[in-house]
Amino acid sequence: MPLHPLHHRSDLVRIAVRAMNERGLEPEFSQQVQDQLAGIEAPGRVPFGQVKDLTDLLWCSIDNDDSRDLDQLTASEVLAHGAVRIRVAIADVDSLVQLGSPIDAHARTNTTSVYTSARIFPMLPEKLSTDLTSLNEQEDRLAVVTEMVFNPDGGLAGSTVYRALVRNRARLAYDAVSAWLDGQGAMPAAIATVAGMDEQVRTQDGVAQQLRARRHGEGSLEFETFQPRAVFEGEKVVAIELQEHNRARQLIEELMIATNGCTARYLATRGGLSLRRVVRSPERWLRIVAVAKDYGESLPAEPDSRALSAFLARQRRLDPVRFPDLSLVIVKLMGAGEYVVESPHGEPIGHFGLALRDYTHSTAPNRRFPDLITLRLIKAALAGEHPPYSDAELATLALHCTRQEDASRKVERQLRKSEAALLLESRIGQVFNGIVTGSAAEGIWVRIFSPPAEGKLVLGAPDLAVGDKLRVRLASVSVERGFIDFTPID
């Protein structure tokens, strides 16, 4: 038994608050934000007739079981000759979050919601993000709609963007929808109780799978990174689960990627600057080539997303156990995504990982500030008004959003380590099966399978290579620092 009292959920919240403060993120809302919030009592409204009324469509949301900040709805319509119209509605957060207001200033500082298992630190106050600006079930909400028509082969025939009033008819969850689509579970009640919703979701799934296949054909990369999530019962961590990238997640992912591409092109056609999400062609491509060589494969000397995609697909099929670790290596060598300002007259940097030329972030304005920026740019373009940000402001915001996103990722990663340490601190001395995930001058890293957690091998590490399986004993943990130490068993 440990010689010190066990940690609890409240300790993880304290650690998260400390980590956010250390990285320039504000965990709490100011009094000025609270004062402004007190004066907001209803969803955004516009005079009748100024936006399209699409509340009669069979809109639905698909998100995590516990998600309450609903940013997007989808609806579909089968057209003549096998074409499909897909509409994606994005919450008009700007209708209540005034540019330059205290709420906007807080969102601009953090630029993103920070998600930890113990507590969510929302970018916007929950009164807005989970209520008045959230696309909640059976509530009329303002939205910006991207309407896309896809040919029978999944090719995009055309798209338009406009403002509308929408109503969520069914709030759905990824896991239940995926099980139903795969024939492994019953139809979710929220689908069964809305006439025609089953056809809606199946149609959207069909288009999404077409889009997914087309992207992979163009060289889009598919990773499987290690992202465990703690499960709580009250103050106690009782398990750590891995998030499955299932068919329903693919459905939303593909439709949002398509929407982001259409949004980027729409702003380009209006002639102004836009905030793009880019992943540059990897500067460390030769390192990626060397990694592939270690797996017995050859990649071209110049960056080639199709070749890399094919290599990853083969390794996922041949060695699924080690694939998350290979994914992490390639992701690090590719470099992180970033926000940049692009002109319609310049050559787009593009998104190497998605194999896309035009891409922005526009589909989560309750959770990400770049999406709120893009929402404002779209609304100004639709109204024929000047952009709400100057060119210099956009450039400053692009750099700031990139930095703050990196800070938030580091906080979330730090908390995942502390969550795992909290679960394991009562299991010192127990033996686990694991796999070597990293080897460097500072040590050897191991991932155990159950519970899924990573730690360092200490006290006499044997000669091991990445991918080797082994048995380890839990030697020590530090919840405060997120450290987990193992010793090898001969």
Side-chain angles (χ1 to χ4, degrees), residues 9 13 34 60 66 110 126 137 175 191 201 206 229 243 255 275 305 375 481:
R9 183 175 192 157
V13 174
Q34 302 295 347
C60 70
D66 56 354
N110 283 6
E126 290 190 352
E137 196 171 21
D175 292 347
I191 293 179
V201 177
R229 182 181 182 187
Q243 178 177 289
L255 297 188
L275 190 64
S305 62
L375 175 65
R481 303 174 71 185

Side-chain angles (χ1 to χ4, degrees), residues 9-21 25-29 69 106-107 109-126 129-130 366-368 408 411-412 415 419:
R9 183 175 192 157
S10 56
D11 293 298
L12 293 176
V13 174
R14 172 179 51 78
I15 293 168
V17 168
R18 182 184 67 204
M20 289 183 67
N21 284 322
L25 299 166
E26 295 181 357
E28 310 297 346
F29 294 103
D69 48 351
H106 179 93
T109 295
N110 283 6
T111 77
T112 182
S113 294
V114 179
Y115 294 90
T116 75
S117 296
R119 178 185 164 188
I120 295 172
F121 299 86
M123 183 184 77
L124 300 175
E126 290 190 352
S129 63
T130 68
N366 274 309
R367 315 178 194 192
R368 290 187 308 227
S408 69
V411 170
E412 292 170 352
L415 265 292
E419 291 160 2

Side-chain angles (χ1 to χ4, degrees), residues 159-478:
S159 65
T160 56
V161 180
Y162 51 83
R163 299 182 67 190
L165 190 67
V166 299
R167 173 178 282 235
N168 187 353
R169 298 306 179 110
R171 178 182 172 183
L172 307 176
Y174 287 128
D175 292 347
V177 171
S178 184
W180 169 63
L181 289 172
D182 286 333
Q184 303 298 316
M187 180 186 295
I191 293 179
T193 55
V194 180
M197 187 59 73
D198 57 339
E199 296 176 10
Q200 283 275 316
V201 177
R202 288 196 184 279
T203 297
Q204 293 172 36
D205 172 63
V207 172
Q209 291 303 315
Q210 285 182 312
L211 295 176
R212 183 176 177 82
R214 292 176 69 92
R215 281 200 306 112
H216 288 172
E218 293 296 321
S220 179
L221 308 180
E222 184 171 357
F223 299 108
E224 184 179 314
T225 52
F226 180 69
Q227 292 189 338
R229 182 181 182 187
V231 178
F232 290 90
E233 286 183 0
E235 279 283 294
K236 185 179 180 182
V237 177
V238 295
I240 293 180
E241 298 178 346
L242 291 177
Q243 178 177 289
E244 180 186 358
H245 191 65
N246 56 37
R247 192 171 182 120
R249 292 181 187 277
Q250 292 171 3
L251 187 163
I252 293 302
E253 179 180 86
E254 295 303 329
L255 297 188
M256 295 311 112
I257 289 173
T259 300
N260 285 329
C262 290
T263 299
R265 289 186 291 274
Y266 171 77
L267 288 174
T269 62
R270 302 306 291 258
L273 299 183
S274 62
L275 190 64
R276 295 288 183 102
R277 177 67 174 182
V278 305
V279 173
R280 299 176 187 273
S281 181
E283 294 182 358
R284 292 182 286 179
W285 175 257
L286 293 181
R287 292 280 304 279
I288 295 176
V289 172
V291 170
K293 187 176 181 180
D294 290 340
Y295 284 80
E297 298 216 25
S298 176
L299 291 177
E302 296 296 325
D304 186 326
S305 62
R306 284 189 177 92
L308 180 56
S309 177
F311 162 64
L312 291 170
R314 284 191 294 271
Q315 291 305 313
R316 184 192 197 100
R317 184 173 60 256
L318 293 171
D319 194 351
V321 173
R322 289 201 296 168
F323 187 71
D325 306 305
L326 171 62
S327 293
L328 182 59
V329 170
I330 301 299
V331 167
K332 288 181 177 179
L333 289 174
M334 283 181 55
E338 60 185 294
Y339 295 101
V340 301
V341 177
E342 290 192 353
S343 162
H345 308 297
E347 183 65 26
I349 296 171
H351 195 298
F352 184 85
L354 296 176
L356 294 175
R357 178 178 178 273
D358 301 298
Y359 193 69
T360 188
H361 270 173
S362 66
T363 58
N366 274 309
R367 315 178 194 192
R368 290 187 308 227
F369 196 67
D371 303 58
L372 180 53
I373 292 172
T374 298
L375 175 65
R376 288 169 172 159
L377 293 174
I378 292 171
K379 289 177 64 177
L382 287 170
E385 299 172 350
H386 290 295
Y389 301 97
S390 69
D391 296 356
E393 282 179 307
L394 276 180
T396 299
L397 283 168
L399 180 60
H400 175 68
C401 289
T402 299
R403 289 174 173 170
Q404 295 301 78
E405 181 185 83
D406 179 63
S408 69
R409 278 202 306 264
K410 289 177 178 176
V411 170
E412 292 170 352
R413 186 163 58 245
Q414 180 178 340
L415 265 292
R416 286 197 294 269
K417 294 178 180 179
S418 290
E419 291 160 2
L422 192 155
L423 177 65
L424 291 170
E425 69 175 341
S426 62
R427 302 175 66 176
I428 303 298
Q430 291 187 16
V431 175
F432 302 88
N433 294 318
I435 185 171
V436 176
T437 59
S439 180
E442 61 269 21
I444 294 176
W445 300 92
V446 173
R447 170 165 56 88
I448 61 174
F449 299 122
S450 182
E454 288 186 311
K456 190 176 183 180
L457 204 59
V458 297
L459 302 179
D463 184 19
L464 292 168
V466 172
D468 287 349
K469 295 181 180 179
L470 74 169
R471 286 169 62 79
V472 295
R473 190 182 307 276
L474 181 61
S476 64
V477 303
S478 170

